[in-house]
Amino acid sequence: MLPCLLSLTSKNCQIVSISKEKSNFTDKKVKSKSKWDGIERRHGHDVWFYLARLLSVSGWFIFTVALVLSYYAAPPQEYGLLRYYNIEVRQFWRTPLTGYLYILLWASAAISYIYIIMARYRRRRKTDHKHYDVFMLLMVSIAWVVYILMQLR
């Protein structure tokens, strides 16, 4: 209001007051700049995106191969019909296949862990994908390794 009193015309007073309002508006906008303003600035996928997808697909592929391998490595179920006819069923895990299975499960867990670490540093917005499937892959792989170790002892 003081510049209006010093100025000679009311036109200058309006310009000063409008410029003050604009400066207050820009100050408020600068303060809210720390949050995401809703404008998408990503222009496409980069190398990290494709690397993340490759890691995710390879981790799930290795896990699927481990599922197939576990069918042949684990001892079969001993059903009541087999016991009734005295058919003998193998009670132990096949050692070479169990070793490969162990390696595949740790590889799947390591790949999913690398993916989670990489996604943690790449994800900055609340709207970005949370990657729950890779967390599940990591937990199931580690749980399966623990199960195999308990069965072998």
Side-chain angles (χ1 to χ4, degrees):
M1 197 64 158
L2 185 62
C4 291
L5 296 175
L6 296 176
S7 67
L8 299 175
T9 63
S10 64
K11 188 175 183 183
N12 286 340
C13 182
Q14 289 174 351
I15 291 173
V16 169
S17 64
I18 289 173
S19 66
K20 267 191 158 183
E21 288 175 13
K22 282 186 180 179
S23 68
N24 289 341
F25 178 72
T26 56
D27 290 342
K28 288 178 184 175
K29 192 166 186 167
V30 169
K31 289 179 184 175
S32 68
K33 202 67 167 165
S34 64
K35 295 182 181 175
W36 183 51
D37 56 2
I39 299 171
E40 181 65 47
R41 291 184 185 86
R42 299 175 187 169
H43 295 290
H45 302 303
D46 57 348
V47 174
W48 293 104
F49 175 82
Y50 292 116
L51 181 64
R53 294 295 177 236
L54 179 70
L55 286 173
S56 177
V57 168
S58 62
W60 280 105
F61 178 75
I62 290 172
F63 185 77
T64 306
V65 171
L67 276 174
V68 172
L69 190 62
S70 72
Y71 175 77
Y72 295 107
Q77 286 285 348
E78 186 177 6
Y79 297 108
L81 187 64
L82 296 174
R83 276 187 256 144
Y84 179 75
Y85 287 114
N86 292 327
I87 297 175
E88 206 169 302
V89 177
R90 176 174 48 94
Q91 298 293 326
F92 56 91
W93 288 69
R94 293 188 178 149
T95 307
L97 294 179
T98 306
Y100 294 135
L101 177 63
Y102 188 72
I103 291 169
L104 286 175
L105 288 173
W106 275 118
S108 175
I111 287 173
S112 60
Y113 182 71
I114 291 169
Y115 181 87
I116 289 169
I117 296 298
M118 189 174 71
R120 179 184 168 111
Y121 288 107
R122 293 279 300 161
R123 184 181 50 150
R124 295 188 182 110
R125 298 182 186 152
K126 289 182 180 178
T127 58
D128 286 347
H129 184 63
K130 304 286 191 240
H131 309 288
Y132 293 121
D133 58 333
V134 182
F135 282 113
M136 185 183 72
L137 178 64
L138 177 66
M139 292 298 128
V140 170
S141 296
I142 291 174
W144 199 0
V145 166
V146 169
Y147 173 76
I148 290 173
L149 289 176
M150 291 177 67
Q151 291 292 319
L152 289 178
R153 291 183 191 236

